[in-house]
Amino acid sequence: MVISEKVKKQIVQSDYISRDLSWINFNYRVLDQAKNNDKSIIERLKFLAITASNLDEFFTIRVGSLYNYLDYHKQRIDYSGLRELPFRKVLLAKSKEFAEQQQQLYLNELLPKFEEQGFSIVMYKHLSHDEKERVVKYFESTIYPMLTPMVYDSYHTFPILGALRFVLGVVTKSAEDGVDNKKLSFIQVPYNLPRFYEIEKDDKIYFVPIEDIIRNHADYLFRNVKIQSINLFRITRNGDFTLEESDDIEANFLEELKQKLKTRRTGRVVRLEVFGRPDTWMLKVLKERWDIDDDNIFRIKKKGLIDFTGLWQIVGHSHFKDKHSEMPPMVPPVSYPEIKEENIFEILKDRDILLHHPYNSMEPVLDLLEQAAEDPGVLAIKITIYRLAKDSRVTAALLKAAENGKHISVLFEVKARFDEENNLREAQKLQKAGCFVIYGFSSYKTHTKLLLIVRKEGEKVTRYAHLSSGNYNESTSKLYTDLGLLTTNDVFTHDVSEFFNVITGHSMPEKYKNLITAPREMKPQLLRMIRAEAENAKKGLPSGIVIKINSLQDNDAIDELYLASQAGVPIKLIVRGMCCLRPGRAGLSENIQVISIVGHYLEHSRIYYFHNGGESKLYVGSADMMVRSFERRLESLFEITDSLLKRQVINILQYNLKDNVNSYLMKEDGSYVRKASGDDPEFNIHKEFYHVHKENLQDLDLTFDKEITVEEGELFEDVVIEEDLAKEE
C-alpha cells in the first residue's frame, strides 16, 4: 500500500498532527513495553494484548467514524488537511504497519521464549495421540453441540456474523445434477468458551487454540460433502453512533439506546483479518458483500496469531502469577497518615485529603460511602457514575443507603462506551430500590466525577464532597493514576451542590467559586489563563504552563498554546495518548515540549498548572483538552487551594517531568523517541510515588529552564508491508 509523496508532504506541512495517526503512535509506545527485555514474558504478553484491544477499539470507533462520512458521502477534513478518501488510505496503511510490527514482535521475540517459560501455544496436529484424544472428547462434549454452520447460497441469505469473533469460512463442493456447485458456509466460534484448551503435562501448559480444534473437526458439520478449504477470519464493524435523546427519557431514550447497541453488532465491516492464505473465491464474495477492498484486509502469516487479546487467558493464568511485576503496598495519603485509625467524617472536618491512586487506596472513598449508608445522621447522597467495577461496592453502598431511607440521587452515564449495558443494568437496579436515577443530561455525556453527602450533625448540616479525575471503580483505581479530593470546605461543597442542582433540576448558576465546568465555561476560562501567561511573557515577567492530560485535540486550545509559545511562555505538556499539537516547530511552537508517559500504570489524571505571576493556579479534574470534553460532555475541574495539597500536586508534575524510565518525547514530525537519562540515575514515577511524604514537599516550584534530552534516532521505524503472501512461504 503506497502513500504518495504529495500526501506525505501535506501531512508533514500541517501545523496540526492527525488525531488518528497520533493515536497509532500512542499504541506504538504501548507496544514498546512489550519489547522491553527487562519485563517477564507474561508482562510482555500483557502489553501485546493491550495493543490488540486498543486497535480493536480504534477500528470500531475511529475508523468506524471515518466510514460514517464515506458511506453517507459527507465531507471530512482531517487535521492533516486530507479529505476523507486519501486519509482512509493513509490510516489503513499506517494501521497495517502497526499490525505487522505486532506480528513480528510475537514471532521473532516472544514465541521463541514460550518453551523455556513452561508453556507453549500448540496446534492440534502437533499433539500426541493421547492429547488428541483429550481434545476430541472436549470437542464432542462441549464445542460441537454449540456450533451452527450457516450456508450462504441462492436459498439462504447471507448470515449476520458477529464483530470481533472468530469465523471459519468453509468452501465446499457437492455434485448435483452432474454439476459441481461451490458453496460458502460459516461457523462462528463460540465467544463464551476459553480461547485456548489447556493441557498440563510435565510441569508445562499447552494452549491449543479453539479455532484450530474446530477447523480440524469441521467434517463433523459437513457430512458427505467435499471440503475445499477452511479459512479463519475475524471482522471488525463500525461501532460509532451518535445518540439523539428525546424528552421522553423513560420510554424513548432508553429504548433507542438498546437499539443502538444492537447496531454495533450489525454495523458495516471496516476491517477483515484473515489467517494464512485464504480462498480467493471466498475473499471475493466477502469483499463484494461488505463493500471493502484490499486496504481493509489484514493478513496474518501462518505461524502468527490472529487476535492477540486471547493472550489474556495466558497472562491471567494462576500458573504464572509469580511472573507479574510486584509493586509495593499502597501507602497512606500525605494528608491522612493515620488512615483507618479514626472516623472518616471526623477527619474530614479537620482537613482535606488528596488521594493519589493507585499509590493511595480508594478505601477512604468507599469507607465514606459505606459509613454514610449506615449513618443515621446522613440525609442524602448524590453521585455521578461513569464506569463501575463488577460487584461494585459503590452500588452496594447506594442500595444499602436507599434501604435505610436516605435520599439517593444518581446521575448514571449509560452512554459510557462499551459499558452501556452494564451501566443500564446497574442503573435500573438502583431505580428499583427507590433511588432517584437520572439517565444522562440533555445531549451531553456526563464525564465529571463528583460525590456529595449531606449529614445532619446536631443543629447544623455538614456537606462532604469527593471530586476526582477517576471513576468510582475500585478495580481500575488499582491500575490507573488518578487524583481525588475529599473535603468539607464550604466553597467546594457549595459548588458541588450547585452543580448537582444543574444536572438534576433546572438551575443555572451564574458562576462557581471553585469549579470550572464544561460545556459552559471550561474552555473560555482555560484559554484566558493561557492568554494571561502570554501577556506576562510579553511584559518580561515570569510565566509558565504545565498541563498533564490524556489527550490534546481541541484546535482552539492548540492555537492559544502556539501563541503563548511565540510570546515566550515555556510550556511543558504531559500527554499520555494522542496529541494533535506539533511541538518544536520554528516560529510556531519552539517553546513547547510534549512528553508521554507509558508504563506499568495507566496515566489518567488531569492537572492544569499556570504560573500566574508567582501566584500559581492549579486545577485537577476529569477533562482533557478535546472538543468532546469542552463541548459535548459535562466535565469539571476544581482548583487546589490548600497549601500542602498544592505542593503535593506540584510534586506530581515535577516527578512526571523528571521520569526517565517511562517517558517518551514527541518530535516535531509527530514521532516519539525515548527520553534519555544521561548521567541522571533511574527515576521511575511508578515506583517513586510510593515514597512521597510531607518532608518531600517543602519549597517546591516548577522550573522551566532545564531542557528534556532525548536519545538520537527514531524509536519506531516505518515497516514495509509485503502484500504478496506467496513470499512468506
Side-chain angles (χ1 to χ4, degrees), residues 2 44 104 146 174 299 560 565 641:
V2 180
R44 296 175 71 181
Q104 287 183 8
M146 300 177 68
S174 61
R299 298 170 183 262
E560 286 297 339
S565 169
T641 55

Side-chain angles (χ1 to χ4, degrees), residues 30 79 123 151 170 208 224 278 311 321 330 526 561 581 672:
V30 181
Y79 270 24
M123 296 301 157
V151 66
V170 183
V208 187
N224 303 312
L311 294 171
K321 59 184 178 182
M330 293 179 181
L526 287 176
L561 289 169
L581 177 146
Y672 287 75

Side-chain angles (χ1 to χ4, degrees), residues 231-250:
N231 311 272
L232 177 66
F233 66 87
R234 180 175 181 260
I235 60 173
T236 311
R237 294 183 180 275
N238 177 8
D240 183 64
F241 57 81
T242 302
L243 284 169
E244 298 295 332
E245 293 173 314
S246 68
D247 292 330
D248 189 358
I249 297 296
E250 293 298 324

